[in-house]
mmCIF file of all heavy atoms in Angstrom:
data_model
loop_
_atom_site.group_PDB
_atom_site.id
_atom_site.type_symbol
_atom_site.label_atom_id
_atom_site.label_comp_id
_atom_site.label_asym_id
_atom_site.label_seq_id
_atom_site.Cartn_x
_atom_site.Cartn_y
_atom_site.Cartn_z
ATOM 1 N N VAL H 182 5.598 2.666 7.781
ATOM 2 C CA VAL H 182 4.466 2.476 6.870
ATOM 3 C C VAL H 182 3.670 3.773 6.789
ATOM 4 O O VAL H 182 3.351 4.384 7.813
ATOM 5 C CB VAL H 182 3.549 1.330 7.339
ATOM 6 C CG1 VAL H 182 2.380 1.155 6.360
ATOM 7 C CG2 VAL H 182 4.327 0.028 7.470
ATOM 8 N N LEU H 183 3.343 4.170 5.561
ATOM 9 C CA LEU H 183 2.477 5.319 5.303
ATOM 10 C C LEU H 183 1.191 4.759 4.708
ATOM 11 O O LEU H 183 1.130 4.395 3.541
ATOM 12 C CB LEU H 183 3.154 6.290 4.332
ATOM 13 C CG LEU H 183 4.607 6.666 4.661
ATOM 14 C CD1 LEU H 183 5.203 7.534 3.558
ATOM 15 C CD2 LEU H 183 4.690 7.376 6.008
ATOM 16 N N ASP H 184 0.170 4.643 5.545
ATOM 17 C CA ASP H 184 -1.060 3.937 5.200
ATOM 18 C C ASP H 184 -2.184 4.924 4.934
ATOM 19 O O ASP H 184 -2.673 5.574 5.861
ATOM 20 C CB ASP H 184 -1.435 2.977 6.347
ATOM 21 C CG ASP H 184 -2.834 2.408 6.210
ATOM 22 O OD1 ASP H 184 -3.333 2.310 5.076
ATOM 23 O OD2 ASP H 184 -3.427 2.059 7.252
ATOM 24 N N PHE H 185 -2.599 5.026 3.670
ATOM 25 C CA PHE H 185 -3.700 5.904 3.303
ATOM 26 C C PHE H 185 -4.979 5.079 3.163
ATOM 27 O O PHE H 185 -5.127 4.295 2.237
ATOM 28 C CB PHE H 185 -3.387 6.620 1.991
ATOM 29 C CG PHE H 185 -2.424 7.769 2.135
ATOM 30 C CD1 PHE H 185 -1.086 7.551 2.436
ATOM 31 C CD2 PHE H 185 -2.861 9.086 1.972
ATOM 32 C CE1 PHE H 185 -0.194 8.606 2.561
ATOM 33 C CE2 PHE H 185 -1.972 10.150 2.102
ATOM 34 C CZ PHE H 185 -0.643 9.915 2.396
ATOM 35 N N TYR H 186 -5.859 5.237 4.123
ATOM 36 C CA TYR H 186 -7.205 4.646 4.160
ATOM 37 C C TYR H 186 -7.270 3.170 3.768
ATOM 38 O O TYR H 186 -8.143 2.735 3.004
ATOM 39 C CB TYR H 186 -8.196 5.482 3.315
ATOM 40 C CG TYR H 186 -7.652 6.062 2.027
ATOM 41 C CD1 TYR H 186 -7.660 5.353 0.847
ATOM 42 C CD2 TYR H 186 -7.110 7.351 2.018
ATOM 43 C CE1 TYR H 186 -7.167 5.871 -0.323
ATOM 44 C CE2 TYR H 186 -6.607 7.897 0.840
ATOM 45 C CZ TYR H 186 -6.637 7.146 -0.328
ATOM 46 O OH TYR H 186 -6.148 7.676 -1.486
ATOM 47 N N GLY H 187 -6.344 2.390 4.318
ATOM 48 C CA GLY H 187 -6.346 0.959 4.045
ATOM 49 C C GLY H 187 -7.216 0.188 5.021
ATOM 50 O O GLY H 187 -7.230 0.486 6.220
ATOM 51 N N PRO H 188 -7.978 -0.809 4.560
ATOM 52 C CA PRO H 188 -8.741 -1.674 5.468
ATOM 53 C C PRO H 188 -7.816 -2.408 6.433
ATOM 54 O O PRO H 188 -6.723 -2.841 6.045
ATOM 55 C CB PRO H 188 -9.431 -2.659 4.516
ATOM 56 C CG PRO H 188 -9.501 -1.938 3.209
ATOM 57 C CD PRO H 188 -8.237 -1.121 3.136
ATOM 58 N N SER H 189 -8.255 -2.545 7.669
ATOM 59 C CA SER H 189 -7.431 -3.220 8.675
ATOM 60 C C SER H 189 -8.091 -4.452 9.273
ATOM 61 O O SER H 189 -7.410 -5.323 9.796
ATOM 62 C CB SER H 189 -7.076 -2.247 9.807
ATOM 63 O OG SER H 189 -8.231 -1.878 10.539
ATOM 64 N N ASN H 190 -9.426 -4.532 9.203
ATOM 65 C CA ASN H 190 -10.159 -5.683 9.756
ATOM 66 C C ASN H 190 -11.383 -5.941 8.885
ATOM 67 O O ASN H 190 -12.341 -5.182 8.916
ATOM 68 C CB ASN H 190 -10.571 -5.414 11.203
ATOM 69 C CG ASN H 190 -11.202 -6.626 11.859
ATOM 70 O OD1 ASN H 190 -11.989 -7.335 11.261
ATOM 71 N ND2 ASN H 190 -10.861 -6.858 13.117
ATOM 72 N N PHE H 191 -11.354 -7.018 8.123
ATOM 73 C CA PHE H 191 -12.410 -7.271 7.148
ATOM 74 C C PHE H 191 -13.768 -7.580 7.765
ATOM 75 O O PHE H 191 -14.801 -7.245 7.189
ATOM 76 C CB PHE H 191 -11.995 -8.397 6.201
ATOM 77 C CG PHE H 191 -10.941 -7.988 5.213
ATOM 78 C CD1 PHE H 191 -9.892 -8.833 4.906
ATOM 79 C CD2 PHE H 191 -10.995 -6.757 4.581
ATOM 80 C CE1 PHE H 191 -8.922 -8.462 3.979
ATOM 81 C CE2 PHE H 191 -10.035 -6.369 3.663
ATOM 82 C CZ PHE H 191 -8.990 -7.226 3.363
ATOM 83 N N LEU H 192 -13.787 -8.210 8.898
ATOM 84 C CA LEU H 192 -15.078 -8.551 9.498
ATOM 85 C C LEU H 192 -15.896 -7.307 9.819
ATOM 86 O O LEU H 192 -17.125 -7.326 9.743
ATOM 87 C CB LEU H 192 -14.877 -9.388 10.761
ATOM 88 C CG LEU H 192 -14.472 -10.844 10.530
ATOM 89 C CD1 LEU H 192 -14.171 -11.520 11.859
ATOM 90 C CD2 LEU H 192 -15.560 -11.605 9.786
ATOM 91 N N LEU H 193 -15.223 -6.207 10.160
ATOM 92 C CA LEU H 193 -15.946 -4.991 10.530
ATOM 93 C C LEU H 193 -16.578 -4.282 9.330
ATOM 94 O O LEU H 193 -17.353 -3.356 9.509
ATOM 95 C CB LEU H 193 -15.016 -4.021 11.259
ATOM 96 C CG LEU H 193 -14.725 -4.362 12.711
ATOM 97 C CD1 LEU H 193 -13.929 -3.252 13.367
ATOM 98 C CD2 LEU H 193 -16.016 -4.597 13.489
ATOM 99 N N PHE H 194 -16.271 -4.712 8.117
ATOM 100 C CA PHE H 194 -16.954 -4.139 6.963
ATOM 101 C C PHE H 194 -18.416 -4.569 6.908
ATOM 102 O O PHE H 194 -19.235 -3.955 6.235
ATOM 103 C CB PHE H 194 -16.278 -4.582 5.659
ATOM 104 C CG PHE H 194 -15.151 -3.699 5.246
ATOM 105 C CD1 PHE H 194 -13.839 -4.114 5.353
ATOM 106 C CD2 PHE H 194 -15.400 -2.440 4.755
ATOM 107 C CE1 PHE H 194 -12.799 -3.295 4.982
ATOM 108 C CE2 PHE H 194 -14.369 -1.611 4.368
ATOM 109 C CZ PHE H 194 -13.066 -2.035 4.481
ATOM 110 N N TYR H 195 -18.752 -5.623 7.631
ATOM 111 C CA TYR H 195 -20.040 -6.250 7.393
ATOM 112 C C TYR H 195 -21.138 -5.850 8.370
ATOM 113 O O TYR H 195 -22.321 -5.939 8.038
ATOM 114 C CB TYR H 195 -19.865 -7.774 7.358
ATOM 115 C CG TYR H 195 -19.305 -8.175 6.022
ATOM 116 C CD1 TYR H 195 -17.959 -8.000 5.736
ATOM 117 C CD2 TYR H 195 -20.117 -8.644 5.026
ATOM 118 C CE1 TYR H 195 -17.441 -8.301 4.498
ATOM 119 C CE2 TYR H 195 -19.621 -8.959 3.767
ATOM 120 C CZ TYR H 195 -18.274 -8.789 3.514
ATOM 121 O OH TYR H 195 -17.772 -9.077 2.279
ATOM 122 N N GLY H 196 -20.803 -5.413 9.561
ATOM 123 C CA GLY H 196 -21.800 -4.893 10.488
ATOM 124 C C GLY H 196 -23.041 -5.742 10.591
ATOM 125 O O GLY H 196 -22.989 -6.900 10.995
ATOM 126 N N ASN H 197 -24.167 -5.194 10.164
ATOM 127 C CA ASN H 197 -25.454 -5.885 10.247
ATOM 128 C C ASN H 197 -25.854 -6.555 8.936
ATOM 129 O O ASN H 197 -27.040 -6.786 8.683
ATOM 130 C CB ASN H 197 -26.552 -4.893 10.662
ATOM 131 C CG ASN H 197 -26.312 -4.347 12.051
ATOM 132 O OD1 ASN H 197 -25.869 -5.069 12.942
ATOM 133 N ND2 ASN H 197 -26.599 -3.066 12.243
ATOM 134 N N ALA H 198 -24.903 -6.869 8.101
ATOM 135 C CA ALA H 198 -25.205 -7.483 6.807
ATOM 136 C C ALA H 198 -25.871 -8.842 6.992
ATOM 137 O O ALA H 198 -25.617 -9.560 7.964
ATOM 138 C CB ALA H 198 -23.933 -7.644 5.989
ATOM 139 N N ASP H 199 -26.723 -9.192 6.054
ATOM 140 C CA ASP H 199 -27.400 -10.485 6.060
ATOM 141 C C ASP H 199 -26.429 -11.558 5.573
ATOM 142 O O ASP H 199 -25.999 -11.532 4.415
ATOM 143 C CB ASP H 199 -28.623 -10.422 5.145
ATOM 144 C CG ASP H 199 -29.402 -11.730 5.111
ATOM 145 O OD1 ASP H 199 -28.950 -12.714 5.731
ATOM 146 O OD2 ASP H 199 -30.460 -11.755 4.452
ATOM 147 N N PRO H 200 -26.076 -12.522 6.432
ATOM 148 C CA PRO H 200 -25.096 -13.538 6.024
ATOM 149 C C PRO H 200 -25.592 -14.445 4.910
ATOM 150 O O PRO H 200 -24.805 -15.148 4.276
ATOM 151 C CB PRO H 200 -24.850 -14.329 7.313
ATOM 152 C CG PRO H 200 -26.064 -14.104 8.137
ATOM 153 C CD PRO H 200 -26.540 -12.721 7.812
ATOM 154 N N ASN H 201 -26.914 -14.439 4.654
ATOM 155 C CA ASN H 201 -27.477 -15.292 3.611
ATOM 156 C C ASN H 201 -27.670 -14.556 2.286
ATOM 157 O O ASN H 201 -28.057 -15.159 1.292
ATOM 158 C CB ASN H 201 -28.823 -15.866 4.073
ATOM 159 C CG ASN H 201 -28.664 -16.739 5.304
ATOM 160 O OD1 ASN H 201 -27.785 -17.598 5.348
ATOM 161 N ND2 ASN H 201 -29.487 -16.507 6.321
ATOM 162 N N ALA H 202 -27.418 -13.250 2.294
ATOM 163 C CA ALA H 202 -27.585 -12.462 1.074
ATOM 164 C C ALA H 202 -26.412 -12.688 0.125
ATOM 165 O O ALA H 202 -25.322 -13.098 0.535
ATOM 166 C CB ALA H 202 -27.704 -10.982 1.420
ATOM 167 N N ALA H 203 -26.660 -12.431 -1.151
ATOM 168 C CA ALA H 203 -25.587 -12.553 -2.139
ATOM 169 C C ALA H 203 -24.469 -11.575 -1.799
ATOM 170 O O ALA H 203 -24.724 -10.424 -1.463
ATOM 171 C CB ALA H 203 -26.129 -12.268 -3.531
ATOM 172 N N ASP H 204 -23.247 -12.033 -1.875
ATOM 173 C CA ASP H 204 -22.094 -11.223 -1.489
ATOM 174 C C ASP H 204 -21.121 -11.158 -2.652
ATOM 175 O O ASP H 204 -20.456 -12.141 -2.975
ATOM 176 C CB ASP H 204 -21.420 -11.826 -0.255
ATOM 177 C CG ASP H 204 -20.255 -10.989 0.242
ATOM 178 O OD1 ASP H 204 -19.980 -9.937 -0.368
ATOM 179 O OD2 ASP H 204 -19.620 -11.386 1.227
ATOM 180 N N ASP H 205 -21.063 -10.001 -3.297
ATOM 181 C CA ASP H 205 -20.190 -9.831 -4.449
ATOM 182 C C ASP H 205 -19.258 -8.640 -4.242
ATOM 183 O O ASP H 205 -18.945 -7.920 -5.175
ATOM 184 C CB ASP H 205 -21.038 -9.638 -5.711
ATOM 185 C CG ASP H 205 -20.204 -9.794 -6.980
ATOM 186 O OD1 ASP H 205 -19.256 -10.602 -6.966
ATOM 187 O OD2 ASP H 205 -20.500 -9.116 -7.976
ATOM 188 N N THR H 206 -18.827 -8.424 -2.995
ATOM 189 C CA THR H 206 -17.988 -7.278 -2.674
ATOM 190 C C THR H 206 -16.527 -7.543 -3.041
ATOM 191 O O THR H 206 -16.105 -8.695 -3.217
ATOM 192 C CB THR H 206 -18.056 -6.960 -1.176
ATOM 193 O OG1 THR H 206 -17.490 -8.061 -0.450
ATOM 194 C CG2 THR H 206 -19.499 -6.736 -0.726
ATOM 195 N N PRO H 207 -15.724 -6.487 -3.149
ATOM 196 C CA PRO H 207 -14.292 -6.670 -3.426
ATOM 197 C C PRO H 207 -13.582 -7.547 -2.395
ATOM 198 O O PRO H 207 -12.659 -8.283 -2.745
ATOM 199 C CB PRO H 207 -13.759 -5.240 -3.404
ATOM 200 C CG PRO H 207 -14.916 -4.410 -3.831
ATOM 201 C CD PRO H 207 -16.113 -5.066 -3.202
ATOM 202 N N VAL H 208 -13.997 -7.461 -1.124
ATOM 203 C CA VAL H 208 -13.345 -8.283 -0.101
ATOM 204 C C VAL H 208 -13.602 -9.763 -0.362
ATOM 205 O O VAL H 208 -12.697 -10.599 -0.258
ATOM 206 C CB VAL H 208 -13.825 -7.889 1.308
ATOM 207 C CG1 VAL H 208 -13.228 -8.827 2.354
ATOM 208 C CG2 VAL H 208 -13.447 -6.447 1.624
ATOM 209 N N THR H 209 -14.840 -10.098 -0.706
ATOM 210 C CA THR H 209 -15.170 -11.485 -1.005
ATOM 211 C C THR H 209 -14.436 -11.974 -2.243
ATOM 212 O O THR H 209 -13.963 -13.118 -2.294
ATOM 213 C CB THR H 209 -16.691 -11.640 -1.194
ATOM 214 O OG1 THR H 209 -17.332 -11.379 0.057
ATOM 215 C CG2 THR H 209 -17.057 -13.038 -1.654
ATOM 216 N N LYS H 210 -14.305 -11.109 -3.249
ATOM 217 C CA LYS H 210 -13.535 -11.484 -4.444
ATOM 218 C C LYS H 210 -12.072 -11.719 -4.088
ATOM 219 O O LYS H 210 -11.423 -12.614 -4.625
ATOM 220 C CB LYS H 210 -13.647 -10.396 -5.507
ATOM 221 C CG LYS H 210 -15.028 -10.299 -6.163
ATOM 222 C CD LYS H 210 -15.020 -9.231 -7.235
ATOM 223 C CE LYS H 210 -16.401 -9.079 -7.875
ATOM 224 N NZ LYS H 210 -16.824 -10.298 -8.586
ATOM 225 N N LEU H 211 -11.552 -10.902 -3.183
ATOM 226 C CA LEU H 211 -10.160 -11.067 -2.757
ATOM 227 C C LEU H 211 -9.948 -12.396 -2.045
ATOM 228 O O LEU H 211 -9.012 -13.138 -2.347
ATOM 229 C CB LEU H 211 -9.763 -9.917 -1.826
ATOM 230 C CG LEU H 211 -8.391 -10.047 -1.159
ATOM 231 C CD1 LEU H 211 -7.278 -9.863 -2.185
ATOM 232 C CD2 LEU H 211 -8.250 -9.037 -0.022
ATOM 233 N N LEU H 212 -10.812 -12.685 -1.079
ATOM 234 C CA LEU H 212 -10.636 -13.870 -0.244
ATOM 235 C C LEU H 212 -11.132 -15.150 -0.907
ATOM 236 O O LEU H 212 -10.752 -16.247 -0.491
ATOM 237 C CB LEU H 212 -11.369 -13.673 1.087
ATOM 238 C CG LEU H 212 -10.936 -12.479 1.941
ATOM 239 C CD1 LEU H 212 -11.754 -12.425 3.223
ATOM 240 C CD2 LEU H 212 -9.452 -12.536 2.261
ATOM 241 N N GLY H 213 -12.021 -15.004 -1.892
ATOM 242 C CA GLY H 213 -12.622 -16.185 -2.498
ATOM 243 C C GLY H 213 -13.768 -16.741 -1.688
ATOM 244 O O GLY H 213 -14.296 -17.813 -1.986
#
Side-chain angles (χ1 to χ4, degrees):
V182 180
L183 311 175
D184 168 27
F185 283 70
Y186 38 87
S189 67
N190 186 319
F191 287 139
L192 285 174
L193 283 187
F194 273 107
Y195 282 77
N197 296 322
D199 181 356
N201 298 312
D204 183 1
D205 194 33
T206 65
V208 175
T209 294
K210 289 182 182 296
L211 173 71
L212 301 180

